[in-house]
Amino acid sequence: MGPHPAVAAIRLAVRRVLHDILDTQPQPPAGDRPLVLVACSGGADSMALASALAFEAPKLGVRAGGITVDHRLQPGSDVRAEDVVLRLTSLGLTPAESVAVDVGRAGGPEAAARDARYGALDAAAERHGAAAVLLGHTRDDQAETVLLGLARGSGIRSLSGMAAVSGAAGRYRRPFLGLDRQTARKACLVQHLPVWDDPHNTDPAYTRSRLRHEGLPALEKALGKGVVEALARTAQLSRDDADALDAWAQQAAQTVRDAAGLLECAKLYALPPAVRRRILRRAAIEAGAPAGALFARHIEEVDRLITGWRGQGEINLPGKVVAQRQGGRLVIRQG
């Protein structure tokens, strides 16, 4: 008798990702098996991922380890983090460690915690020489991300949600984007894996929590079941379109600068808006504007320096960056 269907599903998802990692990563020195880490909070999604990695990795000659990040935002978080380390160790993962971080305030509490978490995971991956870090985001998380992007009005890239592969050199892998949250929870239940439910996930003070417990259920009540699946499909379709437009913009960006490297307004004006705005966004980021704080409304204002020029003054952007039209050229620089 085979494993429970939920367990089989998560193991298959992890097996496919491990095969992909082995196929795309440089060959390690002889006798040195590649290391794959799992980022584990102790919740159902990441515990299911950790158990599947522990089961599949040895069969493929891959070393498996785990990292939990202590955000230090709740009393006793250090004790819970150490408990997660014990769970990872009991699954046979090594190294298994906890990393404490200081969460700032930039971009709001959720964004600040995410930035601190990824910083810690990047550092851990570098420290251990990991080939990849697995993240437990599910199809439900993807649907929430798409809706958050829609609410921000940030364009098609925001609607594309989370990529299955992201980060420098494809460091981050998300095996569960095709699986729902209940599958992961069921896999933990049938394997008797203890899980920790983060109270922040039900705290209405957090936007994603409100969306998860109020917004999505309301949409499903109004539109019927299948909203999560439809939003996940939208993410993939949007990502394909956004990737194509990004490639077009990257090529076009080389043709709209003068000999001094300044953007020429006339050449920018001739481009389709979707391509032009991508070039403007990239130029703003290169000048020092934080990508996470640069919204569609900022780029629209800069775009009007090209399409609606009436002698207006400089545009202030996040990161103390300013955009200004000067003699047919668009100058984006630190103010």
Side-chain angles (χ1 to χ4, degrees):
M1 183 176 179
H4 186 278
V7 176
I10 65 169
R11 288 178 178 175
L12 177 60
V14 169
R15 189 183 317 137
R16 287 172 172 167
V17 167
L18 290 179
H19 275 295
D20 184 63
I21 292 169
L22 291 172
D23 289 342
T24 57
Q25 292 291 318
Q27 287 293 327
D32 186 9
R33 296 182 300 152
L35 170 67
V36 173
L37 299 173
V38 57
C40 186
S41 67
D45 302 340
S46 58
M47 281 302 300
L49 182 57
S51 70
L53 177 63
F55 183 83
E56 294 292 339
K59 297 192 294 183
L60 296 175
V62 173
R63 291 182 294 134
I67 303 291
T68 188
V69 178
D70 176 11
H71 297 85
R72 299 196 281 198
L73 295 175
Q74 303 169 25
S77 64
D78 56 336
V79 176
R80 282 189 294 272
E82 289 305 317
D83 181 59
V84 173
V85 171
L86 290 175
R87 297 183 199 178
L88 296 175
T89 302
S90 69
L91 289 171
L93 300 182
T94 183
E97 64 181 34
S98 168
V99 180
V101 296
D102 293 315
V103 177
R105 297 183 179 180
E110 292 165 282
R114 182 176 61 249
D115 289 345
R117 180 166 59 253
Y118 278 100
L121 293 175
D122 278 334
E126 293 289 344
R127 186 168 62 254
H128 293 291
V133 179
L134 306 189
L135 305 174
H137 297 121
T138 65
R139 187 169 61 194
D140 301 78
D141 296 309
Q142 184 75 299
E144 293 162 9
T145 301
V146 172
L147 283 177
L148 289 170
L150 182 63
R152 286 194 299 266
S154 300
I156 194 171
R157 175 56 70 187
S158 196
L159 296 184
S160 65
M162 295 175 286
V165 181
S166 65
R171 167 173 290 161
Y172 293 106
R173 309 292 179 118
R174 297 176 175 87
F176 289 175
L177 288 182
L179 301 176
D180 61 37
R181 192 172 286 140
Q182 286 304 313
T183 297
R185 186 167 289 275
K186 185 66 174 178
C188 289
L189 180 65
V190 299
Q191 295 178 101
H192 307 291
L193 293 173
V195 299
W196 173 65
D197 292 314
D198 187 344
H200 281 175
N201 290 337
T202 56
D203 188 343
Y206 294 93
T207 305
R208 187 177 284 269
S209 175
R210 294 195 302 274
L211 180 59
R212 179 174 301 177
H213 297 287
E214 301 172 25
L216 268 174
L219 279 176
E220 291 200 329
K221 183 177 180 180
L223 302 176
K225 295 292 183 182
V227 169
V228 168
E229 292 85 348
L231 288 169
R233 284 196 302 273
T234 296
Q236 185 56 58
L237 293 171
S238 297
R239 180 167 296 281
D240 292 342
D241 290 348
D243 287 346
L245 286 168
D246 284 348
W248 185 356
Q250 186 174 4
Q251 293 176 346
Q254 302 170 15
T255 69
V256 296
R257 293 184 182 273
D258 63 15
L262 297 177
L263 293 166
E264 297 187 63
C265 295
K267 292 180 178 179
L268 284 168
Y269 185 86
L271 293 172
V275 177
R276 181 175 61 245
R277 289 173 180 172
R278 278 169 165 75
I279 294 174
L280 297 180
R281 177 178 171 81
R282 173 50 53 191
I285 293 172
E286 289 174 350
L294 197 60
F295 300 135
R297 67 177 185 272
H298 296 125
I299 303 305
E300 288 168 4
E301 284 196 46
V302 177
D303 196 36
R304 278 194 285 272
L305 293 176
I306 299 165
T307 62
W309 175 241
R310 298 292 184 272
Q312 58 264 48
E314 64 185 26
I315 305 297
N316 293 312
L317 300 174
K320 298 181 180 179
V321 171
V322 297
Q324 186 175 20
R325 180 163 174 155
Q326 297 177 346
R329 302 292 190 269
L330 184 68
V331 179
I332 303 177
R333 57 179 172 75
Q334 280 286 327

